[in-house]
Amino acid sequence: MRLYAILILFLLPGLTACSHGPLVQRKLAAAAVYVPTDTQKSLSNRFAPVFLIPDSPQSYDKIGRPAARYDNVGNEKIYIDTDHPAIYFCEKKFKTDTGEYTNLIYRIHFPGIPASLFPFHLGAGKNVGLMVVVTMDSRQRPVLVTTVHTCGCYLAMVPTSFLAKEALPDGWNRESRWVYGEILPGMVDYESKSQPRLLISIRPEVHRVADIRIVESHTLGNMPRVSMPLVAMESLDEIPINGGFTSFFYEQGLLKGYVKDAVKYWETILLSPISLDFFVGTDKAFKDSNETGKPFYTSLKPWNRSRSDMWCFDRFLKFWGWKL
């Protein structure tokens, strides 16, 4: 325990829970909004987020679709095809002491985060992703928006105007929240919009969530848009390759449950000593840890691994102080 404390004191001045330090709060120049398409006009489409992607010529800043191919010597290669973007979706119900809820879970992926020393990109690596979870109450009202990278890093939770004050964590600031260098709203208002749409602003290179807001759907027509289909999350286990299929995730061995080719070497070097997880920062499947062996934990402290696992959302909420 003493050695663990020394390691924390040594590393934390420059690092915080999968963070690369304070970000410069600069204005994002919009290039396009990525908008899910669903001809059925389902609940999943109605509350699906749209993503504001800043002006960047780099392919790593574009949303894509996980794809696979064989290289010249027959080795399988997983990559993100930015010519055919997609947003992946699943739905998961859960119960708490106060009622029944439904999580609408959305997942996107980028080709990667580029290596950089100035500024230092701790999460540099391939096939990185982001999840947005919209929690619906029994009246089909969105009460909570949760964003997190698909490694479990950079968790942000923002209540909506439908959530009762009594359900907020103690001392919650409804004006704004500081989240690992980003300043996000302390609450978002669905009720004042006639056709509300959840808009997530993405910071270039690191793909951090730079802003979360509710806008009128018709205002999105003022910006260039990229349409992307809403695809079942299960299809990540069946990516086409040369007439067959492969999974986006390793299916056996030490890396089972992790995204292929997504090991983050800087995070392994700098954060594995304090997290006691050699593959800390590596993107993973959002599934039951009994199946993958990899809990989707959101706290670096090893003793919080199960309690902070987002898959068990009721327990996860209690861990972070929510009273839904």
Side-chain angles (χ1 to χ4, degrees), residues 213-233:
R213 65 179 61 189
I214 309 301
V215 300
E216 292 283 7
S217 293
H218 64 81
T219 63
L220 298 174
N222 300 326
M223 294 179 283
R225 64 170 61 196
V226 178
S227 296
M228 52 183 181
L230 202 59
V231 182
M233 195 85 73

Side-chain angles (χ1 to χ4, degrees), residues 194-215:
S194 59
Q195 293 182 309
R197 195 71 172 188
L198 174 61
L199 178 66
I200 307 290
S201 297
I202 303 296
R203 193 167 295 284
E205 296 189 0
V206 292
H207 311 138
R208 292 285 306 282
V209 172
D211 193 20
I212 300 173
R213 65 179 61 189
I214 309 301
V215 300

Side-chain angles (χ1 to χ4, degrees), residues 146-158:
T146 302
T147 66
V148 65
H149 285 213
T150 51
C151 56
C153 306
Y154 304 122
L155 173 71
M157 305 178 74
V158 179

Side-chain angles (χ1 to χ4, degrees), residues 39-277:
T39 56
Q40 301 301 315
K41 302 300 180 184
S42 61
L43 188 71
S44 60
N45 175 269
R46 179 184 170 192
F47 291 100
V50 300
F51 297 91
L52 176 63
I53 303 298
D55 189 12
S56 170
Q58 304 297 336
S59 61
Y60 53 66
D61 282 327
K62 300 183 185 338
I63 298 172
R65 180 195 296 256
R69 62 171 178 253
Y70 291 112
D71 63 17
N72 294 334
V73 295
N75 294 320
E76 179 188 283
K77 294 295 182 183
I78 295 292
Y79 66 100
I80 306 301
D81 179 5
T82 57
D83 291 330
H84 302 91
I87 180 169
Y88 293 83
F89 170 78
C90 69
E91 181 178 306
K92 191 171 185 292
K93 298 183 182 297
F94 68 96
K95 294 181 180 180
T96 69
D97 295 337
T98 64
E100 297 184 359
Y101 298 87
T102 301
N103 275 342
L104 307 179
I105 304 163
Y106 305 89
R107 179 173 182 141
I108 58 172
H109 276 272
F110 299 87
I113 293 175
S116 174
L117 290 178
F118 302 101
F120 178 51
H121 292 168
L122 177 64
K126 298 178 182 179
N127 301 337
V128 298
L130 175 71
M131 286 203 318
V132 178
V133 179
V134 180
T135 300
M136 312 291 291
D137 66 11
S138 58
R139 296 167 60 184
Q140 292 192 341
R141 301 179 306 175
V143 294
L144 184 66
V145 176
T146 302
T147 66
V148 65
H149 285 213
T150 51
C151 56
C153 306
Y154 304 122
L155 173 71
M157 305 178 74
V158 179
T160 81
S161 51
F162 289 117
L163 187 65
K165 292 182 180 180
E166 295 75 20
L168 297 171
D170 296 340
W172 186 264
N173 181 351
R174 292 167 64 91
E175 297 299 318
S176 63
R177 300 288 295 176
W178 189 91
V179 182
Y180 304 122
E182 295 285 2
I183 299 175
L184 300 178
M187 187 271 289
V188 290
D189 183 9
Y190 272 92
E191 296 177 272
S192 65
K193 303 293 188 297
S194 59
Q195 293 182 309
R197 195 71 172 188
L198 174 61
L199 178 66
I200 307 290
S201 297
I202 303 296
R203 193 167 295 284
E205 296 189 0
V206 292
H207 311 138
R208 292 285 306 282
V209 172
D211 193 20
I212 300 173
R213 65 179 61 189
I214 309 301
V215 300
E216 292 283 7
S217 293
H218 64 81
T219 63
L220 298 174
N222 300 326
M223 294 179 283
R225 64 170 61 196
V226 178
S227 296
M228 52 183 181
L230 202 59
V231 182
M233 195 85 73
E234 293 84 358
S235 64
L236 288 171
D237 291 314
E238 296 182 340
I239 297 176
I241 181 171
N242 282 33
F245 296 94
T246 188
S247 177
F248 189 45
F249 312 104
Y250 292 106
E251 298 179 280
Q252 57 187 356
L254 189 62
L255 288 168
K256 181 180 178 181
Y258 289 115
V259 171
K260 292 175 180 176
D261 297 326
V263 173
K264 307 296 187 341
Y265 295 102
W266 275 120
E267 296 203 35
T268 290
I269 293 170
L270 297 174
L271 293 181
S272 60
I274 62 173
S275 65
L276 302 185
D277 180 2

Side-chain angles (χ1 to χ4, degrees), residues 276-294:
L276 302 185
D277 180 2
F278 187 79
F279 297 109
V280 61
T282 300
D283 297 79
K284 63 186 73 170
F286 187 64
K287 297 180 179 180
D288 191 335
S289 61
N290 290 325
E291 176 185 346
T292 65
K294 309 296 185 300

